[in-house]
Amino acid sequence: EEVAFTDIKTNDDYTNKRFMIYIPGNYTDYYNTNKISVSSSVVTGTQVSYKSDGYTEIIVNTSKLQGYKLVSFGDVIGVIVDNPVNVYDNIVVLDAGHGGYDESDITLEIIYNKAKEYFNSTDSNVKAYWTRTDDTFITLSNRAAYASQIGADMFVSLHMNSSNSSSAKGTEVYYSTVNNNVADNGMNSKKLAGICLDNIISALKTTNRGVKTANYYVIKHNSVPAVLIELGFISNSSDRRLITDAASQKAAAKAIYDSVIAAFNN
């Protein structure tokens, strides 16, 4: 009775095939008496414990990656558990590129650590899944296949450029002419690339190197509209200062978020 529906928080630990529900207060005794009812064959178990931050944590384990949504039925709170495509209207896969130098650290910092603040906010109407959330190596084929596995609508991969010429600088966004997939709202890879480029250039004021075509594996072999962003050149001193600056990284993350939102609202 003391808990409002809006007080409940969640965390999607989809890489470990589970999600957590957080209720303010200690309700372990309540759940020991009132067992959680499970009607999904995909849910393999639940655990309830009280955490030091003052929340009761309910862990829901699933046999495969699942989407979920909290629903209120008056005095009862339920959780819909299903394949992501049946739970979320708009799904994007975000891919932190692996590359030379410290590219993998920079891309992960921007598109995961900083962008998740926007994509996981209560204001976001887009569900984001990341191909990696740490320094784990993911093959190109697994990255490209991820969108199809979860039923995503779009795919955005972030990379840093490099050149033998230290004067090369700026932002460019690639799409593959081989990938002719179109989202339900008519969005295709070329349009998505243009939206991403415009938002990033506006946010970071980097040199505009344009929308380009290439058959990079993750965008060519994808089941949805897909783009690869080359944010800046780590081989150029001014670009490198920008892409390693925390405030600029946050601005880049926001620009990617704004681009995805705009693409779904197209």
Side-chain angles (χ1 to χ4, degrees):
E1 294 179 354
E2 306 82 14
V3 178
F5 182 72
T6 53
D7 293 335
I8 301 171
K9 302 177 181 180
T10 65
N11 179 46
D12 193 354
D13 187 17
Y14 56 88
T15 56
N16 291 311
K17 294 181 290 188
R18 65 179 189 172
F19 60 89
M20 284 76 87
I21 302 168
Y22 298 99
I23 302 172
N26 187 349
Y27 294 98
T28 52
D29 289 342
Y30 174 86
Y31 283 107
N32 285 334
T33 303
N34 303 273
K35 301 296 184 182
I36 297 172
S37 174
V38 177
S39 58
S40 169
S41 60
V42 179
V43 175
T44 59
T46 62
Q47 297 89 43
V48 178
S49 62
Y50 181 63
K51 313 303 287 185
S52 59
D53 60 1
Y55 281 80
T56 297
E57 177 188 60
I58 302 172
I59 299 176
V60 180
N61 296 286
T62 56
S63 59
K64 60 181 179 178
L65 188 152
Q66 292 283 273
Y68 67 93
K69 182 180 293 184
L70 296 183
V71 288
S72 176
F73 301 105
D75 292 339
V76 177
I77 293 170
V79 188
I80 296 171
V81 181
D82 204 340
N83 294 326
V85 68
N86 296 327
V87 177
Y88 310 113
D89 292 330
N90 305 315
I91 304 175
V92 65
V93 169
L94 302 174
D95 175 50
H98 260 301
Y101 301 97
D102 54 0
E103 178 195 357
S104 62
D105 295 333
I106 299 172
T107 56
L108 187 67
E109 180 63 29
I110 294 172
I111 206 167
Y112 176 64
N113 290 334
K114 288 186 167 59
K116 68 180 179 181
E117 171 187 341
Y118 303 107
F119 283 100
N120 290 345
S121 71
T122 55
D123 296 330
S124 175
N125 66 346
V126 173
K127 174 62 178 179
Y129 288 99
W130 285 264
T131 57
R132 67 183 183 96
T133 58
D134 54 29
D135 200 34
T136 302
F137 176 76
I138 310 293
T139 65
L140 293 177
S141 59
N142 284 342
R143 290 169 189 262
Y146 199 45
S148 176
Q149 292 171 4
I150 65 172
D153 303 288
M154 299 177 194
F155 180 98
V156 177
S157 185
L158 180 65
H159 292 253
M160 302 300 146
N161 225 330
S162 184
S163 172
N164 291 328
S165 171
S166 61
S167 62
K169 63 179 181 178
T171 302
E172 54 197 22
V173 183
Y174 288 89
Y175 73 97
S176 171
T177 57
V178 178
N179 180 350
N180 296 310
N181 293 292
V182 179
D184 289 342
N185 67 348
M187 181 59 54
N188 60 30
S189 297
K190 184 177 181 180
K191 291 180 184 178
L192 179 58
I195 293 171
C196 289
L197 183 67
D198 289 345
N199 277 290
I200 291 171
I201 296 298
S202 176
L204 298 184
K205 312 301 181 189
T206 48
T207 299
N208 188 338
R209 295 175 63 91
V211 169
K212 300 181 178 181
T213 61
N215 286 323
Y216 295 126
Y217 193 99
V218 294
I219 55 177
K220 177 183 177 181
H221 299 279
N222 218 301
S223 59
V224 296
V227 298
L228 188 149
I229 301 168
E230 295 280 11
L231 189 64
F233 283 76
I234 57 178
S235 51
N236 176 268
S237 58
S238 59
D239 270 10
R240 185 176 180 84
R241 280 194 300 271
L242 187 73
I243 62 182
T244 56
D245 173 72
S248 298
Q249 289 178 341
K250 186 171 184 177
K254 180 63 161 55
I256 294 170
Y257 170 75
D258 289 341
S259 298
V260 172
I261 295 297
F264 277 112
N265 292 336
N266 176 66

